[in-house]
Amino acid sequence: MTEAVRTGAARALDVITIGRSSVDLYGQQIGSKLEDITSFAKSVGGCPSNIAIGTARLGLKSGVITRVGDEQMGRFIREQMAREGVATAGIAIDPDRLTALVLLAVEDEGVSPMIFYRTDCADMALSEADIDEGFVASAASIVVTGTHFSREASAAAQRKAIRIAKANGNRVVFDIDYRPNLWGLAGHASGFERYVKSDRVSDQLKTVLADCDLIIGTEEEIRIASGADDVLGALKAIRALSPATIVLKRGAMGCIVYDGPITDDLEDGVVGDGFPIEVYNVLGAGDAFMSGFLRGWLKGEPLKTCATWANACGAFAVSRLLCSPEYPTWAELSHFLEKGSEHRALRKDADLAHIHWATTRRGATGELLAFAIDHRSQLEAVADRLDVPREKIEGLKVLAVEAAARVAKGRPGFGMLLDSTYGRKAMAKAAREAFWIGRPVEKPGSRPLDFDHLPDLGSHLVEWPIGHTVKCLCFYHPDDSEELKARQERELLRLADAALTVGRELLVEIIAGKNGPVDDTTLARILTRLYDLGIRPDWWKLEPQKSAAAWRNIGAVIAARDPWCRGIVLLGLEAPEHELVEAFRAAQATPLVRGFAVGRTIFAEAAERWLAGSMTDEEAVSDMAAKFERLVAAWQGVRRPAAT
């Protein structure tokens, strides 16, 4: 076997995991019995699925072989795997069975009751027919998991995958993944039970060991895989059957790696660096651990490094609530390994939380060309002046979405700013067009900033679709009084925390020019101040700047303070089209300006005439589409040549 094959240098994938794939429903009330949970957070779960996501986040090319139901939960798993960069060719759709569900709660430190809803579930119906030889052979390694040896058909599927892997010189990894009740050894209420001795289970798992290159398990799992009653005896029994590298997971004590003979000293192995942290939730920590170990092992790192990375990934997992959504990305792990954290509870580290959010958020929006019609007070004033019911504004916004759709023609990078007051029907239509959608939360024209009937931001934002971006306009000038700035900053901080907590992107719009002079440093000073406070929005929406120097100053601040910022979109302030085109040109000074969100320049005339009844629906749509299209063409004419 050549080293190139051994290290997977010529393989399309680094690793394929095989087995369980479920939807985890995590109780959000920490410290409660499962009986008392009132709300749940949804995520992908199941040992191999967690590992597939965990390794993908760490930069490995991963895939998964499993089954899901032909229903919404199955589609969620497939879609989330794709979003995470996991190869989904091995996910079979089962038309007859439901996707597995797991209900979980964090009742106390190290106590997490769970209920598995897995009766005749899709993933346990995995069969040899689901194992594609070409797909398995494309990976440098496979991970087989213990639970799927508990049923005849799924065990045969994994054994077929092992034969294919061995025939192609690929490595076989065994995650013992012992859940007694999934072997029928404990009741439904005992999902958290870690160990029940069983000769039947041991006899089955021992037959796998000889084919493995890496075996990973807890003390209980090492014992069940070997049939021995003590850990040292279990390690020796496994070594007698397999030359594999053995990794003994020991929870808060980290791990020990055995890559040769097992001596009488349990500590006689390779030990990675440890990370003392607060234990918040132990569920899923082993899968994060495996992900970190594989990131090193498959890249040829020393075993001590593999163990250190594994320990660090496990530390992230036990410090957070969910399983796969909480696993670190490579950027996040690298930051932690280099700089550490002053927090024992890693979930409270603002820098790590920001890197985690920025490197796992949905989509990869580059250019953003948005039709902004989230205006409320301005359109109310027009309707009142024309003596027409304000409810008619709702229809105008639906027409605006139609206009934007005519320009977008299904292309990515287009969006809408729409409000909750008059834009709900328009939002539904915009969602069908797959537009980026931003929604305002500020009370129109408020200074100091006030939220629009939203005293409890977090609870309100939970109701929003996951893809909606929170937009907030703040009239802020660096020369404002300290009292005014403090009030506005407090509200922005509250908003930023709410958006991050509920997992919604944030766009902060700053208008300074209406409340004081603006020079080449004004906006850069504002952004510096807000970043110093810890406000790091996904997007900035800024007024056009008069000089390239101003844009360079702004760009330098963002690049230094938040390299993960999606960028800046220009606002319009009802400027004529020719002025906006000039603004587009000036903004070439920084590539961080990635689009625009313009409103009244596009819709002002159509709104006046349509609300007055002197313009038909089609005429209004055509008028707005023409103006939006001219701005899009102007933007692309200015920006795209500069990017080539």
Side-chain angles (χ1 to χ4, degrees), residues 31-63:
S32 291
K33 297 185 300 179
L34 189 52
E35 294 91 329
D36 296 331
I37 297 297
T38 60
S39 60
F40 294 85
K42 182 181 71 171
S43 64
V44 173
C47 169
S49 297
N50 286 337
I51 296 168
I53 290 173
T55 50
R57 287 188 170 189
L58 294 175
L60 293 180
K61 295 174 290 184
S62 69

PDB file of all heavy atoms in Angstrom, residues 31-63:
ATOM      1  N   GLY A  31     -31.677  22.849  33.340  1.00  0.00           N
ATOM      2  CA  GLY A  31     -31.953  22.547  34.735  1.00  0.00           C
ATOM      3  C   GLY A  31     -33.352  22.027  34.963  1.00  0.00           C
ATOM      4  O   GLY A  31     -33.779  21.893  36.114  1.00  0.00           O
ATOM      5  N   SER A  32     -34.069  21.730  33.895  1.00  0.00           N
ATOM      6  CA  SER A  32     -35.436  21.212  34.005  1.00  0.00           C
ATOM      7  C   SER A  32     -35.478  19.721  33.693  1.00  0.00           C
ATOM      8  O   SER A  32     -34.692  19.221  32.892  1.00  0.00           O
ATOM      9  CB  SER A  32     -36.364  21.936  33.021  1.00  0.00           C
ATOM     10  OG  SER A  32     -36.561  23.276  33.385  1.00  0.00           O
ATOM     11  N   LYS A  33     -36.434  19.053  34.311  1.00  0.00           N
ATOM     12  CA  LYS A  33     -36.719  17.680  33.916  1.00  0.00           C
ATOM     13  C   LYS A  33     -37.293  17.696  32.499  1.00  0.00           C
ATOM     14  O   LYS A  33     -37.902  18.684  32.075  1.00  0.00           O
ATOM     15  CB  LYS A  33     -37.734  17.051  34.869  1.00  0.00           C
ATOM     16  CG  LYS A  33     -37.287  16.926  36.304  1.00  0.00           C
ATOM     17  CD  LYS A  33     -38.332  16.170  37.127  1.00  0.00           C
ATOM     18  CE  LYS A  33     -39.674  16.874  37.112  1.00  0.00           C
ATOM     19  NZ  LYS A  33     -40.699  16.134  37.896  1.00  0.00           N
ATOM     20  N   LEU A  34     -37.103  16.595  31.802  1.00  0.00           N
ATOM     21  CA  LEU A  34     -37.654  16.508  30.450  1.00  0.00           C
ATOM     22  C   LEU A  34     -39.174  16.680  30.478  1.00  0.00           C
ATOM     23  O   LEU A  34     -39.770  17.244  29.548  1.00  0.00           O
ATOM     24  CB  LEU A  34     -37.264  15.170  29.822  1.00  0.00           C
ATOM     25  CG  LEU A  34     -37.561  14.967  28.333  1.00  0.00           C
ATOM     26  CD1 LEU A  34     -37.010  16.106  27.487  1.00  0.00           C
ATOM     27  CD2 LEU A  34     -36.969  13.643  27.856  1.00  0.00           C
ATOM     28  N   GLU A  35     -39.798  16.233  31.578  1.00  0.00           N
ATOM     29  CA  GLU A  35     -41.244  16.394  31.710  1.00  0.00           C
ATOM     30  C   GLU A  35     -41.670  17.866  31.712  1.00  0.00           C
ATOM     31  O   GLU A  35     -42.812  18.188  31.348  1.00  0.00           O
ATOM     32  CB  GLU A  35     -41.735  15.741  33.015  1.00  0.00           C
ATOM     33  CG  GLU A  35     -41.581  14.237  33.042  1.00  0.00           C
ATOM     34  CD  GLU A  35     -40.253  13.791  33.615  1.00  0.00           C
ATOM     35  OE1 GLU A  35     -39.240  14.535  33.455  1.00  0.00           O
ATOM     36  OE2 GLU A  35     -40.203  12.705  34.208  1.00  0.00           O
ATOM     37  N   ASP A  36     -40.786  18.757  32.130  1.00  0.00           N
ATOM     38  CA  ASP A  36     -41.148  20.162  32.308  1.00  0.00           C
ATOM     39  C   ASP A  36     -40.684  21.065  31.170  1.00  0.00           C
ATOM     40  O   ASP A  36     -40.893  22.281  31.220  1.00  0.00           O
ATOM     41  CB  ASP A  36     -40.558  20.688  33.622  1.00  0.00           C
ATOM     42  CG  ASP A  36     -41.132  19.982  34.838  1.00  0.00           C
ATOM     43  OD1 ASP A  36     -42.288  19.528  34.755  1.00  0.00           O
ATOM     44  OD2 ASP A  36     -40.421  19.877  35.858  1.00  0.00           O
ATOM     45  N   ILE A  37     -40.029  20.495  30.157  1.00  0.00           N
ATOM     46  CA  ILE A  37     -39.550  21.304  29.047  1.00  0.00           C
ATOM     47  C   ILE A  37     -40.742  21.865  28.263  1.00  0.00           C
ATOM     48  O   ILE A  37     -41.703  21.156  27.974  1.00  0.00           O
ATOM     49  CB  ILE A  37     -38.655  20.470  28.116  1.00  0.00           C
ATOM     50  CG1 ILE A  37     -37.403  20.003  28.868  1.00  0.00           C
ATOM     51  CG2 ILE A  37     -38.269  21.270  26.875  1.00  0.00           C
ATOM     52  CD1 ILE A  37     -36.507  21.115  29.355  1.00  0.00           C
ATOM     53  N   THR A  38     -40.658  23.143  27.907  1.00  0.00           N
ATOM     54  CA  THR A  38     -41.756  23.783  27.170  1.00  0.00           C
ATOM     55  C   THR A  38     -41.383  24.173  25.744  1.00  0.00           C
ATOM     56  O   THR A  38     -42.255  24.460  24.925  1.00  0.00           O
ATOM     57  CB  THR A  38     -42.237  25.040  27.908  1.00  0.00           C
ATOM     58  OG1 THR A  38     -41.154  25.977  28.032  1.00  0.00           O
ATOM     59  CG2 THR A  38     -42.765  24.692  29.290  1.00  0.00           C
ATOM     60  N   SER A  39     -40.086  24.214  25.411  1.00  0.00           N
ATOM     61  CA  SER A  39     -39.687  24.539  24.037  1.00  0.00           C
ATOM     62  C   SER A  39     -38.398  23.804  23.704  1.00  0.00           C
ATOM     63  O   SER A  39     -37.586  23.515  24.582  1.00  0.00           O
ATOM     64  CB  SER A  39     -39.507  26.046  23.842  1.00  0.00           C
ATOM     65  OG  SER A  39     -38.503  26.559  24.701  1.00  0.00           O
ATOM     66  N   PHE A  40     -38.216  23.512  22.435  1.00  0.00           N
ATOM     67  CA  PHE A  40     -37.093  22.696  21.985  1.00  0.00           C
ATOM     68  C   PHE A  40     -36.364  23.379  20.830  1.00  0.00           C
ATOM     69  O   PHE A  40     -36.979  24.081  20.026  1.00  0.00           O
ATOM     70  CB  PHE A  40     -37.579  21.324  21.508  1.00  0.00           C
ATOM     71  CG  PHE A  40     -38.170  20.469  22.585  1.00  0.00           C
ATOM     72  CD1 PHE A  40     -39.511  20.599  22.937  1.00  0.00           C
ATOM     73  CD2 PHE A  40     -37.404  19.523  23.250  1.00  0.00           C
ATOM     74  CE1 PHE A  40     -40.077  19.812  23.920  1.00  0.00           C
ATOM     75  CE2 PHE A  40     -37.957  18.727  24.240  1.00  0.00           C
ATOM     76  CZ  PHE A  40     -39.300  18.872  24.585  1.00  0.00           C
ATOM     77  N   ALA A  41     -35.064  23.145  20.749  1.00  0.00           N
ATOM     78  CA  ALA A  41     -34.255  23.585  19.617  1.00  0.00           C
ATOM     79  C   ALA A  41     -33.925  22.375  18.756  1.00  0.00           C
ATOM     80  O   ALA A  41     -33.570  21.311  19.280  1.00  0.00           O
ATOM     81  CB  ALA A  41     -32.964  24.252  20.101  1.00  0.00           C
ATOM     82  N   LYS A  42     -34.035  22.526  17.459  1.00  0.00           N
ATOM     83  CA  LYS A  42     -33.883  21.409  16.523  1.00  0.00           C
ATOM     84  C   LYS A  42     -32.493  21.408  15.904  1.00  0.00           C
ATOM     85  O   LYS A  42     -31.973  22.460  15.520  1.00  0.00           O
ATOM     86  CB  LYS A  42     -34.936  21.530  15.418  1.00  0.00           C
ATOM     87  CG  LYS A  42     -34.910  20.401  14.398  1.00  0.00           C
ATOM     88  CD  LYS A  42     -35.967  20.606  13.327  1.00  0.00           C
ATOM     89  CE  LYS A  42     -35.624  21.756  12.404  1.00  0.00           C
ATOM     90  NZ  LYS A  42     -36.514  21.854  11.244  1.00  0.00           N
ATOM     91  N   SER A  43     -31.906  20.209  15.772  1.00  0.00           N
ATOM     92  CA  SER A  43     -30.611  20.098  15.104  1.00  0.00           C
ATOM     93  C   SER A  43     -30.441  18.684  14.570  1.00  0.00           C
ATOM     94  O   SER A  43     -31.176  17.765  14.935  1.00  0.00           O
ATOM     95  CB  SER A  43     -29.469  20.425  16.068  1.00  0.00           C
ATOM     96  OG  SER A  43     -29.408  19.478  17.118  1.00  0.00           O
ATOM     97  N   VAL A  44     -29.458  18.504  13.691  1.00  0.00           N
ATOM     98  CA  VAL A  44     -29.091  17.170  13.220  1.00  0.00           C
ATOM     99  C   VAL A  44     -28.365  16.442  14.339  1.00  0.00           C
ATOM    100  O   VAL A  44     -27.533  17.022  15.039  1.00  0.00           O
ATOM    101  CB  VAL A  44     -28.189  17.256  11.976  1.00  0.00           C
ATOM    102  CG1 VAL A  44     -27.658  15.877  11.596  1.00  0.00           C
ATOM    103  CG2 VAL A  44     -28.948  17.872  10.814  1.00  0.00           C
ATOM    104  N   GLY A  45     -28.700  15.173  14.533  1.00  0.00           N
ATOM    105  CA  GLY A  45     -28.048  14.381  15.559  1.00  0.00           C
ATOM    106  C   GLY A  45     -27.730  12.984  15.071  1.00  0.00           C
ATOM    107  O   GLY A  45     -27.933  12.638  13.907  1.00  0.00           O
ATOM    108  N   GLY A  46     -27.269  12.151  16.000  1.00  0.00           N
ATOM    109  CA  GLY A  46     -26.826  10.809  15.655  1.00  0.00           C
ATOM    110  C   GLY A  46     -25.323  10.805  15.481  1.00  0.00           C
ATOM    111  O   GLY A  46     -24.777  11.621  14.732  1.00  0.00           O
ATOM    112  N   CYS A  47     -24.644   9.882  16.137  1.00  0.00           N
ATOM    113  CA  CYS A  47     -23.176   9.864  16.177  1.00  0.00           C
ATOM    114  C   CYS A  47     -22.506  10.080  14.821  1.00  0.00           C
ATOM    115  O   CYS A  47     -21.737  11.023  14.652  1.00  0.00           O
ATOM    116  CB  CYS A  47     -22.729   8.560  16.822  1.00  0.00           C
ATOM    117  SG  CYS A  47     -20.975   8.211  16.683  1.00  0.00           S
ATOM    118  N   PRO A  48     -22.763   9.253  13.799  1.00  0.00           N
ATOM    119  CA  PRO A  48     -22.042   9.445  12.532  1.00  0.00           C
ATOM    120  C   PRO A  48     -22.405  10.747  11.828  1.00  0.00           C
ATOM    121  O   PRO A  48     -21.546  11.353  11.166  1.00  0.00           O
ATOM    122  CB  PRO A  48     -22.456   8.234  11.698  1.00  0.00           C
ATOM    123  CG  PRO A  48     -23.704   7.730  12.321  1.00  0.00           C
ATOM    124  CD  PRO A  48     -23.626   8.058  13.767  1.00  0.00           C
ATOM    125  N   SER A  49     -23.643  11.189  11.972  1.00  0.00           N
ATOM    126  CA  SER A  49     -24.027  12.449  11.341  1.00  0.00           C
ATOM    127  C   SER A  49     -23.338  13.616  12.024  1.00  0.00           C
ATOM    128  O   SER A  49     -22.889  14.569  11.368  1.00  0.00           O
ATOM    129  CB  SER A  49     -25.548  12.617  11.384  1.00  0.00           C
ATOM    130  OG  SER A  49     -26.174  11.597  10.634  1.00  0.00           O
ATOM    131  N   ASN A  50     -23.256  13.562  13.343  1.00  0.00           N
ATOM    132  CA  ASN A  50     -22.513  14.589  14.067  1.00  0.00           C
ATOM    133  C   ASN A  50     -21.056  14.632  13.627  1.00  0.00           C
ATOM    134  O   ASN A  50     -20.471  15.706  13.437  1.00  0.00           O
ATOM    135  CB  ASN A  50     -22.573  14.318  15.571  1.00  0.00           C
ATOM    136  CG  ASN A  50     -23.920  14.635  16.187  1.00  0.00           C
ATOM    137  OD1 ASN A  50     -24.685  15.427  15.651  1.00  0.00           O
ATOM    138  ND2 ASN A  50     -24.206  14.027  17.327  1.00  0.00           N
ATOM    139  N   ILE A  51     -20.451  13.464  13.468  1.00  0.00           N
ATOM    140  CA  ILE A  51     -19.033  13.412  13.072  1.00  0.00           C
ATOM    141  C   ILE A  51     -18.850  13.943  11.652  1.00  0.00           C
ATOM    142  O   ILE A  51     -17.873  14.635  11.359  1.00  0.00           O
ATOM    143  CB  ILE A  51     -18.490  11.979  13.204  1.00  0.00           C
ATOM    144  CG1 ILE A  51     -18.515  11.537  14.671  1.00  0.00           C
ATOM    145  CG2 ILE A  51     -17.062  11.878  12.660  1.00  0.00           C
ATOM    146  CD1 ILE A  51     -18.269  10.045  14.864  1.00  0.00           C
ATOM    147  N   ALA A  52     -19.782  13.621  10.770  1.00  0.00           N
ATOM    148  CA  ALA A  52     -19.683  14.134   9.399  1.00  0.00           C
ATOM    149  C   ALA A  52     -19.680  15.659   9.395  1.00  0.00           C
ATOM    150  O   ALA A  52     -18.887  16.301   8.694  1.00  0.00           O
ATOM    151  CB  ALA A  52     -20.840  13.594   8.556  1.00  0.00           C
ATOM    152  N   ILE A  53     -20.569  16.254  10.182  1.00  0.00           N
ATOM    153  CA  ILE A  53     -20.621  17.706  10.261  1.00  0.00           C
ATOM    154  C   ILE A  53     -19.396  18.251  10.979  1.00  0.00           C
ATOM    155  O   ILE A  53     -18.782  19.234  10.543  1.00  0.00           O
ATOM    156  CB  ILE A  53     -21.917  18.147  10.969  1.00  0.00           C
ATOM    157  CG1 ILE A  53     -23.123  17.858  10.070  1.00  0.00           C
ATOM    158  CG2 ILE A  53     -21.863  19.636  11.331  1.00  0.00           C
ATOM    159  CD1 ILE A  53     -24.464  18.099  10.731  1.00  0.00           C
ATOM    160  N   GLY A  54     -19.013  17.611  12.084  1.00  0.00           N
ATOM    161  CA  GLY A  54     -17.850  18.087  12.835  1.00  0.00           C
ATOM    162  C   GLY A  54     -16.577  18.084  12.022  1.00  0.00           C
ATOM    163  O   GLY A  54     -15.784  19.038  12.078  1.00  0.00           O
ATOM    164  N   THR A  55     -16.339  17.031  11.238  1.00  0.00           N
ATOM    165  CA  THR A  55     -15.126  16.977  10.424  1.00  0.00           C
ATOM    166  C   THR A  55     -15.190  17.971   9.265  1.00  0.00           C
ATOM    167  O   THR A  55     -14.176  18.574   8.912  1.00  0.00           O
ATOM    168  CB  THR A  55     -14.901  15.553   9.891  1.00  0.00           C
ATOM    169  OG1 THR A  55     -16.107  15.070   9.283  1.00  0.00           O
ATOM    170  CG2 THR A  55     -14.478  14.611  11.001  1.00  0.00           C
ATOM    171  N   ALA A  56     -16.383  18.156   8.690  1.00  0.00           N
ATOM    172  CA  ALA A  56     -16.513  19.146   7.610  1.00  0.00           C
ATOM    173  C   ALA A  56     -16.187  20.534   8.121  1.00  0.00           C
ATOM    174  O   ALA A  56     -15.525  21.337   7.435  1.00  0.00           O
ATOM    175  CB  ALA A  56     -17.922  19.102   7.024  1.00  0.00           C
ATOM    176  N   ARG A  57     -16.638  20.851   9.316  1.00  0.00           N
ATOM    177  CA  ARG A  57     -16.342  22.171   9.878  1.00  0.00           C
ATOM    178  C   ARG A  57     -14.852  22.370  10.130  1.00  0.00           C
ATOM    179  O   ARG A  57     -14.359  23.505  10.118  1.00  0.00           O
ATOM    180  CB  ARG A  57     -17.111  22.354  11.186  1.00  0.00           C
ATOM    181  CG  ARG A  57     -18.598  22.571  10.977  1.00  0.00           C
ATOM    182  CD  ARG A  57     -19.305  22.929  12.261  1.00  0.00           C
ATOM    183  NE  ARG A  57     -20.672  23.353  11.989  1.00  0.00           N
ATOM    184  CZ  ARG A  57     -21.479  23.886  12.884  1.00  0.00           C
ATOM    185  NH1 ARG A  57     -21.053  24.052  14.139  1.00  0.00           N
ATOM    186  NH2 ARG A  57     -22.702  24.256  12.560  1.00  0.00           N
ATOM    187  N   LEU A  58     -14.142  21.275  10.339  1.00  0.00           N
ATOM    188  CA  LEU A  58     -12.707  21.368  10.593  1.00  0.00           C
ATOM    189  C   LEU A  58     -11.883  21.276   9.315  1.00  0.00           C
ATOM    190  O   LEU A  58     -10.657  21.186   9.374  1.00  0.00           O
ATOM    191  CB  LEU A  58     -12.291  20.269  11.572  1.00  0.00           C
ATOM    192  CG  LEU A  58     -12.869  20.404  12.984  1.00  0.00           C
ATOM    193  CD1 LEU A  58     -12.485  19.195  13.829  1.00  0.00           C
ATOM    194  CD2 LEU A  58     -12.406  21.694  13.656  1.00  0.00           C
ATOM    195  N   GLY A  59     -12.545  21.289   8.175  1.00  0.00           N
ATOM    196  CA  GLY A  59     -11.817  21.360   6.915  1.00  0.00           C
ATOM    197  C   GLY A  59     -11.607  20.052   6.212  1.00  0.00           C
ATOM    198  O   GLY A  59     -10.964  20.016   5.148  1.00  0.00           O
ATOM    199  N   LEU A  60     -12.121  18.949   6.758  1.00  0.00           N
ATOM    200  CA  LEU A  60     -12.034  17.678   6.048  1.00  0.00           C
ATOM    201  C   LEU A  60     -13.169  17.573   5.037  1.00  0.00           C
ATOM    202  O   LEU A  60     -14.234  18.164   5.205  1.00  0.00           O
ATOM    203  CB  LEU A  60     -12.114  16.511   7.033  1.00  0.00           C
ATOM    204  CG  LEU A  60     -10.951  16.335   8.009  1.00  0.00           C
ATOM    205  CD1 LEU A  60     -11.196  15.127   8.898  1.00  0.00           C
ATOM    206  CD2 LEU A  60      -9.618  16.198   7.288  1.00  0.00           C
ATOM    207  N   LYS A  61     -12.941  16.791   4.001  1.00  0.00           N
ATOM    208  CA  LYS A  61     -13.987  16.513   3.009  1.00  0.00           C
ATOM    209  C   LYS A  61     -14.723  15.266   3.476  1.00  0.00           C
ATOM    210  O   LYS A  61     -14.193  14.160   3.389  1.00  0.00           O
ATOM    211  CB  LYS A  61     -13.364  16.316   1.631  1.00  0.00           C
ATOM    212  CG  LYS A  61     -12.698  17.585   1.074  1.00  0.00           C
ATOM    213  CD  LYS A  61     -11.955  17.299  -0.226  1.00  0.00           C
ATOM    214  CE  LYS A  61     -10.717  16.460   0.028  1.00  0.00           C
ATOM    215  NZ  LYS A  61      -9.913  16.243  -1.209  1.00  0.00           N
ATOM    216  N   SER A  62     -15.925  15.462   3.983  1.00  0.00           N
ATOM    217  CA  SER A  62     -16.632  14.355   4.606  1.00  0.00           C
ATOM    218  C   SER A  62     -17.906  14.009   3.853  1.00  0.00           C
ATOM    219  O   SER A  62     -18.457  14.817   3.101  1.00  0.00           O
ATOM    220  CB  SER A  62     -16.978  14.696   6.063  1.00  0.00           C
ATOM    221  OG  SER A  62     -17.963  15.714   6.117  1.00  0.00           O
ATOM    222  N   GLY A  63     -18.364  12.783   4.069  1.00  0.00           N
ATOM    223  CA  GLY A  63     -19.632  12.317   3.531  1.00  0.00           C
ATOM    224  C   GLY A  63     -20.303  11.446   4.566  1.00  0.00           C
ATOM    225  O   GLY A  63     -19.714  11.087   5.589  1.00  0.00           O
TER     226      GLY A  63
END
